[in-house]
Amino acid sequence: MLYDFLLRAALAGVGVALAAGPLGCFVLWRRLAYFGDATAHASILGVALALAMSLPIALGSLVAALTLGLGVVLLGRGEQNSDTSLGVISYSALALGLVTASLAGGNRIDLSAYLFGDILAVGQGDLVTILLGAVAVLALLAWRWEGLLLSTLNPDLAAASGISPRRESLILTLALALVVAVAIKVVGALLIGAMLILPAAAARSFARTPEAMAAIAAAIGALSAVAGLAASFWLDTPAGPSIVTASTVIYVISRLAPKGGTARG
């Protein structure tokens, strides 16, 4: 059918949003926005290498994002007091990816679609990869929810309860790398951070528990994906940025709404 590509795009956007929303809550609670950006930017290097070697894009971005994320956590730099280090890593990784693409492929490699997303070009294979990745992230978060939450709110209490905060940080890094790998086709490396942060930030105004905040963030992200795609179709605007713009509008509305939530993190 003529609009099959829109259906695939909508499913891909919703799939990414359902995984990014709950994960974004942990990013907010741990104040790791820079960490998310650094991981997303590092994925561009993986994309460039994957294109140069004719490997799957999702695999390349996953390996690059996971390598950087694990390196930062293992070196003890995944905390909120290392904004400068993460900023340096973030932009250096992005620049290195662009330079690598230029050296490896000359004019054959165009990374613009991976910087800003190309959701309307999502094929059936891409859709399967995105949905499987989203399911894996949700399953991982559900499996480790209590440990992740306790180590986020009180690392000392988590350690006393037999939960390793370092292990939970590694699990969170794995989930973040998976989201980056599946989202890069949808909104691009430069906007993945927005898909993590904006729905979770908007959900704060409506949530009374961490679980409710995660669920509301997922719903807001899904609504943003559908609304952004609709706006892109009718206004002929870029799809990825339109999705983020829709999420921004919802965030602004949430800030104007009466504040009743307590899941502040």
Side-chain angles (χ1 to χ4, degrees):
M1 292 179 62
L2 179 61
Y3 296 115
D4 279 353
F5 74 98
L6 283 177
L7 177 59
R8 289 195 297 269
L11 290 174
V14 170
V16 169
L18 292 179
L23 183 59
C25 294
F26 283 102
V27 172
L28 282 186
W29 294 332
R30 293 185 176 224
R31 296 176 175 86
L32 292 177
Y34 263 148
F35 184 66
D37 282 340
T39 306
H41 289 176
S43 67
I44 288 296
L45 176 58
V47 169
L49 293 174
L51 288 172
M53 295 184 290
S54 299
L55 295 174
I57 299 300
L59 176 62
S61 57
L62 173 62
V63 170
L66 189 57
T67 299
L68 181 138
L70 290 176
V72 170
V73 171
L74 292 174
L75 290 174
R77 297 188 183 277
E79 304 299 331
Q80 64 191 55
N81 61 354
S82 60
D83 284 353
T84 300
S85 298
L86 288 174
V88 170
I89 292 172
S90 175
Y91 296 113
S92 298
L94 177 60
L96 183 59
L98 296 175
V99 170
T100 300
S102 176
L103 293 176
N107 295 325
R108 294 186 299 107
I109 297 182
D110 181 9
L111 293 180
S112 60
Y114 301 100
L115 289 171
F116 302 103
D118 194 11
I119 189 173
L120 296 179
V122 168
Q124 291 184 352
D126 296 322
L127 180 59
V128 171
T129 299
I130 289 170
L131 294 180
L132 287 177
V135 169
V137 170
L138 290 173
L140 188 61
L141 292 179
W143 173 48
R144 299 303 308 167
W145 180 264
E146 295 297 333
L148 284 169
L149 189 59
L150 184 57
S151 63
T152 295
L153 299 178
N154 194 326
D156 293 334
L157 180 59
S161 302
I163 298 172
S164 169
R166 176 61 61 87
R167 181 188 63 204
E168 302 305 319
S169 293
L170 292 175
I171 292 173
L172 192 62
T173 299
L174 173 59
L176 184 59
L178 282 171
V179 165
V180 167
V182 300
I184 195 168
K185 185 76 172 181
V186 175
V187 293
L190 297 183
L191 298 176
I192 291 173
M195 286 295 290
L196 288 166
I197 298 299
L198 287 172
R204 276 179 166 177
S205 298
F206 308 111
R208 295 184 178 276
T209 66
E211 292 78 9
M213 182 173 166
I216 294 172
I220 290 175
L223 176 61
S224 299
V226 175
L229 278 173
S232 174
F233 179 77
W234 290 109
L235 301 176
D236 194 24
T237 55
S242 295
I243 291 173
V244 175
T245 299
S247 189
T248 301
V249 171
I250 296 175
Y251 170 73
V252 172
I253 293 173
S254 76
R255 298 294 297 172
L256 298 176
K259 301 301 184 291
T262 58
R264 300 291 173 177

